[in-house]
Amino acid sequence: MSVSFTLSPEQQQLKAVARAFAEEHLRDLAAAVRAEPDPLRRALLARPVMEKAVGMGFLKGLIPVPFGGAAGSGVDAAILIEEWATHSPDFVISLAGPLIALAPVYEAGTPEQIRRFVAPFLADSGAPVAAMAYSEPGGSANFAAPAPAEGTRTTAVPDGDHWVINGAKQWASHLPGWDGDGPDLMTIVCRTPGGVSLLVAERAQLAGHVEVEEYLDLPGLRGCLTARIRLRDVRVPRANLLGAEGDGARLTLNAFTGSGASIGTFATAAMRRAFDVAFRFATTERRGGAEPIIAHQAVSDVLADAKGRIEAVRLLSWRALDAALSGDPNGLELALHVKVFGSETAVDVINDLVKIVGVSAYDTAFPLVDALHEALAYPVIEGSNTGVRRRQLQTLLRDPAYDPLAASGLT
């Protein structure tokens, strides 16, 4: 099959629909989030917009076709994410919770588990949310470490036909759900007698057993409902175990392949928005001089370098998401590259664009600093670059069977 970088008519239509939704709903949502000081109240602002998105079928568009949804290719996902994340990455993260929380269900779930756990996210109304309860307050870079290391601290103890789960979780969006009683579905990374395992808790099993210890006030991604919670005696049926005991580490890392690849597109969106601001500033502002500052070589050089790097991250993101979501055996390597390269490039690019604007960019009323705050999150969310992602790349590179040309299709 020939390689083409031209969007199909269907992808052009997806771009148009996604952009129209973003301009009609997400632009105003982002402004309202910026104006609300309380972290819980500003996160709840997204609910009516999410209901509109669900009603228009966007949530079904995140569920793969074999499981009842309408998800397209990885490039389709990148197009949608970029258009929405350019205005409100917080909203995209909230809506897309099922992407990661359900990934282990698709991989290891029984037909009955898949039917039951996916059903809430095939809805045509409401605002169902899901969370992958992986990270813990003490850090989870070594979540699968064997004793005597702590590893994952959340435990699940068998009790007859049930598991009883206790522990603290943090960082995943919507751990408390909309009302503090938990999301519609929570995939929980925990330690069972057989090792690190994955258990799925549904809304009815979480209600009354989720204690919100703190709603976090983040400098970026401020509209995400981010909290530290404690699970107290959450009882789930033994049948809610995904795969076998001890499969949790493998399933968890696999679940983060697609979400890690998506960080490249979030980074692209942040750079795109920052470039638009800086470019308009450079072409209109004289800053006391005789002509707009883009006439100065130093300014135009920074803009040119930034634009080239944006295009590079965008194309790598398309390739990585396409590989990750299609099951390409090289999807992991490409996802790791775009997670690390894309997120760190975004920080560098936006910081350079800030310097074009000068001290005015340091004012919270100026629209550039928000993009920088968002970009600073991308090297550390979905598995920190140093603590998790570079370690995974090291593992790939140390494999005697590693082929440097395989991910490029040039073997």
Side-chain angles (χ1 to χ4, degrees):
M1 184 177 68
S2 62
V3 176
S4 174
F5 297 99
T6 302
L7 299 185
S8 68
E10 293 78 14
Q11 289 170 331
Q12 291 282 4
Q13 176 64 16
L14 171 62
K15 179 189 69 176
V17 171
R19 185 172 297 178
F21 184 91
E23 292 177 350
E24 181 178 356
H25 301 293
L26 300 186
R27 181 179 290 164
D28 289 344
L29 173 62
V33 164
R34 285 193 295 271
E36 173 54 61
D38 181 77
L40 175 57
R41 286 198 298 268
R42 65 175 174 251
L44 296 179
L45 294 171
R47 185 167 189 170
V49 182
M50 190 178 292
E51 290 173 352
K52 290 184 174 69
V54 171
M56 294 177 65
F58 285 113
L59 183 57
K60 283 184 180 178
L62 301 178
I63 307 297
V65 172
F67 306 110
S73 69
V75 175
D76 292 350
I79 291 168
L80 175 65
I81 292 169
E82 181 177 336
E83 292 300 327
W84 284 12
T86 296
H87 293 281
S88 179
D90 334 43
F91 178 80
V92 186
I93 291 171
S94 296
L95 181 73
L99 271 177
I100 185 169
L102 289 176
V105 176
Y106 305 146
E107 180 178 353
T110 66
E112 192 278 331
Q113 286 177 328
I114 293 171
R115 179 196 61 75
R116 183 157 46 95
F117 298 151
V118 175
F121 307 100
L122 299 176
D124 295 313
S125 61
V129 289
M132 180 73 172
Y134 157 66
S135 295
E136 299 185 339
S140 297
N142 299 293
F143 80 106
E150 281 187 300
T152 294
R153 305 162 188 84
T154 299
T155 61
V157 178
D159 182 23
D161 292 333
H162 289 78
W163 297 97
V164 180
I165 306 169
N166 285 278
K169 294 292 182 180
Q170 190 169 313
W171 299 119
S173 182
H174 273 285
L175 286 169
W178 294 112
D179 60 1
D181 258 344
D184 296 80
L185 181 136
M186 184 185 291
T187 304
I188 305 171
V189 182
C190 53
R191 192 172 293 280
T192 65
V196 176
S197 305
L198 292 186
L199 291 170
V200 177
E202 298 164 275
R203 166 79 176 178
Q205 296 146 7
L206 291 165
H209 298 277
V210 176
E211 177 185 323
V212 181
E213 296 183 338
E214 181 184 4
Y215 288 100
L216 303 181
D217 190 6
L218 306 180
L221 304 177
R222 291 172 64 76
C224 287
L225 204 165
T226 311
R228 181 176 69 253
I229 67 164
R230 186 161 297 278
L231 302 173
R232 295 195 181 277
D233 296 329
V234 177
R235 295 181 64 86
V236 302
R238 294 287 287 265
N240 283 23
L241 174 72
L242 293 177
E245 283 190 67
D247 279 351
R250 177 181 63 84
L251 292 172
T252 298
L253 291 173
N254 289 350
F256 278 94
T257 300
S259 66
S262 75
I263 293 298
T265 300
F266 280 98
T268 301
M271 290 188 288
R272 167 178 155 178
R273 186 164 89 252
F275 183 88
D276 180 63
V277 172
F279 180 73
R280 284 188 286 108
F281 185 92
T283 54
T284 58
E285 284 288 338
R286 299 173 185 270
R287 311 313 275 176
E291 53 192 345
I293 64 171
I294 197 171
H296 297 285
Q297 185 72 47
V299 172
S300 61
D301 281 352
V302 170
L303 289 168
D305 288 347
K307 189 58 166 58
R309 296 168 83 182
I310 293 169
E311 296 297 341
V313 174
R314 178 181 285 116
L315 290 179
L316 181 56
S317 298
W318 286 8
R319 176 72 179 96
L321 265 173
D322 183 68
L325 299 188
S326 68
D328 186 319
N330 298 298
L332 174 60
E333 180 179 347
L334 289 165
L336 292 171
H337 285 314
V338 80
K339 167 65 168 78
V340 174
F341 175 75
S343 62
E344 296 180 5
T345 297
V347 174
D348 290 343
V349 164
I350 299 172
N351 193 45
D352 286 344
L353 295 173
V354 164
K355 288 181 279 189
I356 286 179
V357 173
V359 72
S360 296
Y362 202 59
D363 185 347
T364 55
F366 194 86
L368 197 51
V369 72
D370 287 339
L372 182 58
H373 285 155
E374 290 159 8
L376 287 170
Y378 298 144
V380 296
I381 65 172
E382 301 300 314
S384 69
N385 288 357
T386 300
V388 179
R389 299 309 193 167
R390 292 182 185 276
R391 184 187 305 171
Q392 289 178 279
L393 280 168
Q394 179 194 29
T395 299
L396 288 176
L397 293 171
R398 293 181 65 188
D399 189 331
Y402 177 73
D403 182 349
L405 294 179
S408 303
L410 298 175
T411 298

